[in-house]
Amino acid sequence: MPATLLLLVETTLLLPGLGRLVLPRPAYEPALRRLPLHAQLEVELHLPGGTLRVPASVEELQRDEQTRPGLLLEADAVPDLPAGTEIRLPAEWAAIYGW
């Protein structure tokens, strides 16, 4: 079974020592909120040079009174991701989280 589109990247923030926090385009926030906060999983990054599979966790970014879901990519090898990059949820992880 193919991987399911989880989100399209809006922007990323490099968090030294932690990884790269991905903020999804607003239309994809509900999909990310379907996963439990702090859920540990693996995702597929669809990059121009191919697919990269990395560990990730579901997080939240709070600023003023607004909270946005984010995906913390926990790998030093993750490059800067341009806006619009597809991040997919592999089938085995979709099954674990009831997608």
Side-chain angles (χ1 to χ4, degrees):
M1 178 177 246
T4 303
L5 180 63
L6 179 60
L7 62 87
L8 295 179
V9 172
E10 179 178 270
T11 191
T12 66
L13 303 166
L14 181 60
L15 304 175
L18 296 174
R20 185 171 297 276
L21 182 65
V22 175
L23 297 177
R25 288 185 177 171
Y28 293 90
E29 288 184 10
L32 195 52
R33 289 185 193 277
R34 286 179 54 194
L35 296 167
L37 187 61
H38 307 302
Q40 300 290 311
L41 52 125
E42 287 185 341
V43 295
E44 294 178 358
L45 310 177
H46 288 259
L47 306 167
T51 301
L52 179 62
R53 193 165 175 158
V54 297
S57 63
V58 178
E59 304 297 339
E60 286 185 333
L61 179 66
Q62 187 170 358
R63 188 173 192 178
D64 299 323
E65 305 246 342
Q66 294 184 346
T67 302
R68 291 190 65 189
L71 193 63
L72 182 61
L73 306 177
E74 301 169 359
D76 294 334
V78 175
D80 190 20
L81 303 175
T85 299
E86 287 187 3
I87 297 183
R88 294 186 171 268
L89 186 62
E92 64 269 22
W93 290 97
I96 289 168
Y97 288 109
W99 274 53

